[in-house]
Amino acid sequence: MSTATSPFYYLLSSIFTISIALVFAGLVFPGKIFQWDRGLQGPYVNARHDAVSDGNPEPKSRPGEREKDKTTTQTDDSSPESLYKSLYHKLHNLEDHLDIIPQALNTLLDLFSSAIKFSQAGVGGSRENSCIFHLSKEYDSHELRTVLKRSQDVVFAKWEEYVAQREDGGNRVMFTDRPSAIRWLKQMAPLKFVDGAWLGHINRAATAPFHFSDVTKTLWQILSEEYGDGDLKKHHVHVYRQLLQTHAVPELPRADSPDFIGQSGGLNTTLPVWRAAVGQLLISLFAHHFLPEVVGFNLHFEGITLQTLIAAKELGELDMDPAYFHLHISIDNADSGHSAMAVQAVERYLAKVESKYGAVAMKQDWRRIQIGFSLSQYLCETLSLDDGSTMYSKGQYNNGGSSKKMAMAEIESRFVELVQRKCISADKLHCSSRAKLGDRMISDWLDPEVLSYREKQSEFVRCLANARWWVQKGDSANSRLVKELSWGGRMFGSFTNSEVDTVKSWIESLSGNEEEEQEEAGSQAGSPYWSFSGRSKPVVEGYPPLYQSLVSGHPESSFKPQPFDTDNIDMTKLLPLWFAQMSLLQSLISIPARSATQAGCAVLRFLRAQEGFEIEGSAVAGTDETMRTNVIGILELGLEMTEAVGLTMPGSLADAIKEWASEAAVKMLHLAMLPKRSARLLIGITWAFVDLHDSLSSVDGESCFRYLSQTSHRALREICRRERDSLARYVENMEPDSTDPREIWKGYTWGRRQIQSCFG
């Protein structure tokens, strides 16, 4: 088929006349492209990000400055809960809030550090059974599988115990009635609406070197199944939303809407739920820095939980559709489901690290996988400690019970959050006090900015705990701090009953064991994440610095796509564009809420075609997909063409753009980071590349494109067919918005011009 007469050209010509077709004349993005960062010290890695300038002057505005979110989020940022709620909204709308990137990274590092402390304290009961840090420091696949099997056996034993109790006439333990079930479902909505978010950015072309593609593809297959493989009725977020709309909140706003975190939803969601949801959004956002941590997070998160099993049963008993929970019970199985795929990802990743970087690097990345695992464990366990259901308030069926140190870690976390909140409202109130804690004045400690840093929080807690004038460890009744908060004290009335109880619990949790406390203090010097992982701190300079300057140009009197002359091609111009095209649509579905639409499902199926995944069937593919060999997608075709023409094989997308400098490729990557604002431009550019795929695969036999084998030629033709079907489906289901539909045409004409410049 001639690309000059492609179906897309006729489609656009029927919608837009040539007289209103605009030139996509300029995308200005001076700055950097993220290169994957192992963050290791030594000769086997370059931990810095390499700058690729497009040669254009710096623009006058950033997207986040030029067009701020015009709606308010109705939150009071003075409390930790409000801070997480604010992050939740901004991470759903990142391109409108680029200024939060440093805060987002620091929050993720704080969560890692909290998780390390929490897990080392023995989360979930027996250390040997549940804490991944108590595995051998040297990675052992058999040992890992044994521990995971043992942990799952504990869950199933508890489930068997629960079933026996119910058969003997016992009551429900999660939900006493429908209203209690509805309350819980509403409270959990922010977390369930980010189902899959921990992998949302995992398959961006810039996430990892090409030799890790089998790992990222395994993880992306899990994400695809979380999203229903492009079938909306199977999309996990959609299924949960349907459950809520049927029984609880018929008009609940979408998770990326500012109204969602306002008061109108009436969710009554608690801090641990917001924290767990934000944790999922954050770890994927920085996948280029924390790929092994993502692999570890996924390993824990994909296990079947007792809560899921019981929720499914009790919702069914209350005549409420348990489909969402049944989905997770079946799809997360350890034989062919997500649990099995998660173990595959760990094993494949570490095997590649050892092969490429050596045993020392593998040992360090094994520690980083453990950190990611512990983060998921921390978010889930602290969530259960604050769960509103009777199951957890009674402490009956949490996974193995909670240890003393686990409880201490959570109590300290709650105490610090309380102090943070109070010092914001009492800012400057203590300026007349001459009292000191350690080497600081009380007024200095209670500066909200000081207590925003994790290291200062830990130091403050240690100083206060060791201030015998204020605190008698383990004895809250005789502690001056509690007396001052009680009737007759100077601070009576400033803390509520429940807040005073938090202070008392923290004092009671203090052991008085000086050796133990000194050991803990030493382990907290600096950030626990950096010291535990052994990494050097990464250089994060923007994400990347996203600039956009769209010059509309003059309306063209005519534009007709020209055929691609495949006998006269400059591969050094084409290849960077070829590899960059893989990033064009990834960000359109990186946020689960935006993927849970018919248009989002169409994008997912398009990306599955580009990855070389099998055509979607009526069931899930699971490990059938991850065990396939000789998978051919756009990446593999690009590497084959590179080898065929005798050019240097790039190790990553950043390598390709450094080797063959391409201003257009840089612009494509930066534009792809603006999915809300630029969705239709991206669709147009993508359709231009589909025309290229059609041209390269349209001739059979000896006349086929000389840089591809016959097998690859056939694979590209099938990819192209699926791409066209998916894009047509997307156009049919586009959501109406303020974007001019001519943006698709602008993107298409710009994309065609860039591709045509590679041909004679």
Side-chain angles (χ1 to χ4, degrees):
M1 178 188 297
S2 169
T3 54
T5 58
S6 71
F8 181 62
Y9 176 64
Y10 282 129
L11 171 65
L12 289 175
S13 296
S14 67
I15 300 175
F16 312 118
T17 65
I18 293 299
S19 63
I20 63 171
L22 302 177
V23 182
F24 187 31
L27 292 173
V28 185
F29 292 106
K32 303 188 184 243
I33 294 176
F34 268 167
Q35 182 167 352
W36 181 71
D37 173 24
R38 280 187 36 77
L40 297 172
Q41 298 173 343
Y44 44 78
V45 66
N46 175 7
R48 289 191 58 82
H49 310 303
D50 297 281
V52 181
S53 172
D54 70 355
N56 289 314
E58 184 169 328
K60 294 180 180 179
S61 64
R62 300 169 184 256
E65 296 168 343
R66 183 170 57 83
E67 185 180 341
K68 292 287 187 181
D69 190 345
K70 295 182 175 64
T71 55
T72 60
T73 58
Q74 303 179 42
T75 62
D76 174 11
D77 284 349
S78 63
S79 70
E81 180 177 323
S82 292
L83 290 171
Y84 278 117
K85 289 170 72 174
S86 177
L87 265 178
Y88 184 90
H89 171 71
K90 291 176 180 178
L91 290 169
H92 273 86
N93 300 277
L94 185 62
E95 64 196 79
D96 297 324
H97 302 281
L98 297 177
D99 57 321
I100 70 159
I101 295 301
Q103 178 194 7
L105 179 59
N106 287 336
T107 301
L108 177 61
L109 292 171
D110 281 349
L111 288 174
F112 280 140
S113 297
S114 295
I116 291 168
K117 291 170 59 181
F118 204 63
S119 291
Q120 288 177 325
V123 173
S126 168
R127 288 171 176 261
E128 292 76 12
N129 287 341
S130 65
C131 183
I132 196 170
F133 292 141
H134 294 282
L135 296 178
S136 302
K137 291 186 177 181
E138 303 291 338
Y139 164 68
D140 184 312
S141 176
H142 176 72
E143 181 186 27
L144 175 61
R145 285 179 174 268
T146 299
V147 168
L148 293 173
K149 175 65 165 59
R150 187 186 305 146
S151 178
Q152 198 68 87
D153 287 345
V154 169
V155 172
F156 291 151
K158 289 286 184 179
W159 167 245
E160 187 176 36
E161 177 186 340
Y162 164 82
V163 171
Q165 181 199 62
R166 296 298 310 283
E167 290 177 346
D168 288 341
N171 296 325
R172 288 187 291 270
V173 298
M174 278 191 72
F175 313 124
T176 56
D177 51 23
R178 284 171 66 96
S180 67
I182 289 171
R183 282 196 301 274
W184 184 82
L185 291 171
K186 288 166 64 178
Q187 288 173 349
M188 298 298 288
L191 181 59
K192 302 305 184 184
F193 282 175
V194 295
D195 201 353
W198 73 96
L199 297 174
H201 295 276
I202 197 62
N203 216 34
R204 281 205 313 259
T207 294
F210 292 155
H211 59 260
F212 284 120
S213 62
D214 62 335
V215 177
T216 55
K217 281 189 175 184
T218 296
L219 296 175
W220 204 81
Q221 175 63 24
I222 294 174
L223 176 67
S224 176
E225 292 177 5
E226 297 284 340
Y227 287 178
D229 282 336
D231 185 343
L232 184 59
K233 68 177 180 290
K234 299 175 185 175
H235 193 298
H236 292 189
V237 171
H238 177 76
V239 172
Y240 196 85
R241 186 176 183 82
Q242 293 289 100
L243 174 61
L244 277 182
Q245 288 179 330
T246 301
H247 298 288
V249 192
E251 302 299 329
L252 185 65
R254 217 168 70 169
D256 56 345
S257 164
D259 294 333
F260 180 76
I261 63 170
Q263 300 301 317
S264 59
L267 300 177
N268 296 317
T269 298
T270 58
L271 170 63
V273 177
W274 290 112
R275 179 173 57 201
V278 168
Q280 289 192 30
L281 291 164
L282 286 175
I283 193 168
S284 176
L285 182 63
F286 297 102
H288 47 283
H289 283 307
F290 300 106
L291 181 58
E293 286 85 355
V294 174
V295 171
F297 188 100
N298 182 72
L299 179 65
H300 175 268
F301 198 81
E302 289 296 357
I304 297 175
T305 69
L306 184 63
Q307 183 189 73
T308 302
L309 293 165
I310 294 177
K313 177 174 174 59
E314 296 192 359
L315 286 173
E317 292 173 353
L318 294 169
D319 293 324
M320 301 175 73
D321 187 0
Y324 175 85
F325 300 92
H326 283 157
L327 263 176
H328 285 82
I329 293 169
S330 57
I331 210 168
D332 290 342
N333 75 83
D335 177 53
S336 61
H338 293 181
S339 292
M341 296 157 74
V343 175
Q344 282 182 350
V346 171
E347 293 174 342
R348 290 175 176 180
Y349 177 81
L350 290 174
K352 287 290 175 65
V353 170
E354 183 177 32
S355 173
K356 187 73 174 178
Y357 303 111
V360 174
M362 183 184 73
K363 181 177 180 180
Q364 185 180 45
D365 277 17
W366 166 232
R367 287 302 257 179
R368 293 175 60 189
I369 287 173
Q370 290 174 305
I371 291 172
F373 186 101
S374 74
L375 176 57
S376 174
Q377 193 171 38
Y378 166 67
L379 295 175
C380 292
E381 293 288 341
T382 56
L383 187 68
S384 70
L385 287 173
D386 198 61
D387 193 288
S389 68
T390 57
M391 176 176 74
Y392 288 104
S393 61
K394 292 177 181 177
Q396 287 180 287
Y397 292 104
N398 51 7
N399 295 346
S402 61
S403 69
K404 176 183 176 183
K405 285 192 174 183
M406 179 189 77
M408 287 172 61
E410 177 62 14
I411 289 169
E412 180 180 310
S413 175
R414 290 170 185 254
F415 175 68
V416 169
E417 289 166 357
L418 171 62
V419 174
Q420 281 183 293
R421 191 170 69 248
K422 291 298 181 182
C423 74
I424 291 172
S425 63
D427 190 19
K428 311 300 183 185
L429 191 61
H430 298 84
C431 63
S432 63
S433 173
R434 292 291 162 261
K436 295 182 71 174
L437 285 178
D439 60 354
R440 282 177 176 265
M441 305 295 291
I442 285 285
S443 57
D444 293 335
W445 276 121
L446 298 182
D447 182 337
E449 184 176 355
V450 170
L451 287 182
S452 67
Y453 296 98
R454 173 66 64 178
E455 293 86 352
K456 294 302 181 184
Q457 294 170 13
S458 299
E459 187 181 351
F460 169 76
V461 169
R462 290 197 303 275
C463 289
L464 182 58
N466 291 323
R468 290 185 173 87
W469 173 257
W470 289 102
V471 172
Q472 297 296 316
K473 295 178 181 178
D475 185 4
S476 62
N478 290 312
S479 293
R480 184 180 180 87
L481 178 58
V482 174
K483 291 178 180 178
E484 291 288 355
L485 294 173
S486 305
W487 176 248
R490 287 173 293 178
M491 292 188 289
F492 173 75
S494 59
F495 283 49
T496 67
N497 285 328
S498 63
E499 291 169 343
V500 173
D501 287 342
T502 297
V503 176
K504 290 179 179 178
S505 297
W506 172 68
I507 294 174
E508 293 293 338
S509 73
L510 299 174
S511 65
N513 186 328
E514 298 294 334
E515 291 183 3
E516 180 179 309
E517 287 170 8
Q518 288 174 8
E519 178 183 342
E520 288 184 2
S523 70
Q524 293 167 355
S527 167
Y529 172 79
W530 298 118
S531 59
F532 190 88
S533 67
R535 299 180 71 192
S536 58
K537 296 185 180 182
V539 179
V540 180
E541 301 174 358
Y543 182 69
L546 302 175
Y547 300 103
Q548 182 181 34
S549 177
L550 299 182
V551 182
S552 60
H554 300 286
E556 295 182 78
S557 59
S558 63
F559 174 79
K560 292 184 179 180
Q562 299 300 313
F564 298 122
D565 181 2
T566 57
D567 292 325
N568 187 9
I569 181 172
D570 185 342
M571 294 298 288
T572 63
K573 288 184 178 180
L574 179 64
L575 286 171
L577 298 178
W578 184 275
F579 290 118
Q581 70 172 301
M582 298 184 296
S583 289
L584 286 171
L585 302 188
Q586 289 285 352
S587 291
L588 265 63
I589 60 167
S590 59
I591 298 297
R594 286 202 290 273
S595 70
T597 64
Q598 291 291 359
C601 288
V603 171
L604 180 84
R605 292 202 170 193
F606 178 92
L607 294 172
R608 285 182 55 83
Q610 286 205 331
E611 292 295 330
F613 289 150
E614 289 278 19
I615 297 174
E616 302 77 21
S618 58
V620 296
T623 53
D624 286 352
E625 181 64 62
T626 61
M627 296 300 291
R628 288 175 59 218
T629 58
N630 300 319
V631 175
I632 300 176
I634 294 298
L635 171 61
E636 290 75 21
L637 293 169
L639 294 175
E640 181 179 340
M641 288 189 288
T642 305
E643 184 177 27
V645 80
L647 295 172
T648 302
M649 294 290 284
S652 65
L653 176 59
D655 286 348
I657 295 179
K658 283 193 301 181
E659 181 71 22
W660 310 299
S662 172
E663 177 182 329
V666 173
K667 291 176 181 178
M668 287 164 56
L669 294 176
H670 287 260
L671 185 64
M673 298 300 294
L674 304 168
K676 284 176 59 181
R677 188 171 302 125
S678 305
R680 294 184 177 182
L681 284 172
L682 292 168
I683 290 294
I685 298 171
T686 298
W687 220 314
F689 278 94
V690 175
D691 278 0
L692 172 64
H693 303 163
D694 182 66
S695 179
L696 298 183
S697 63
S698 61
V699 182
D700 290 320
E702 296 181 359
S703 300
C704 69
F705 186 50
R706 65 183 181 277
Y707 297 129
L708 292 176
S709 68
Q710 290 280 358
T711 299
S712 296
H713 181 267
R714 288 191 294 271
L716 180 57
R717 184 187 303 171
E718 176 60 17
I719 289 172
C720 181
R721 183 193 64 77
R722 293 169 65 186
E723 287 176 327
R724 286 200 183 282
D725 289 347
S726 299
L727 286 181
R729 182 180 169 193
Y730 177 89
V731 170
E732 290 173 4
N733 292 281
M734 284 191 303
E735 295 183 12
D737 56 30
S738 59
T739 305
D740 190 331
R742 289 174 295 179
E743 295 289 280
I744 297 180
W745 179 249
K746 286 172 62 176
Y748 178 73
T749 58
W750 184 86
R752 284 290 304 219
R753 288 189 183 282
Q754 308 315 308
I755 298 169
Q756 285 175 190
S757 71
C758 304
F759 293 84

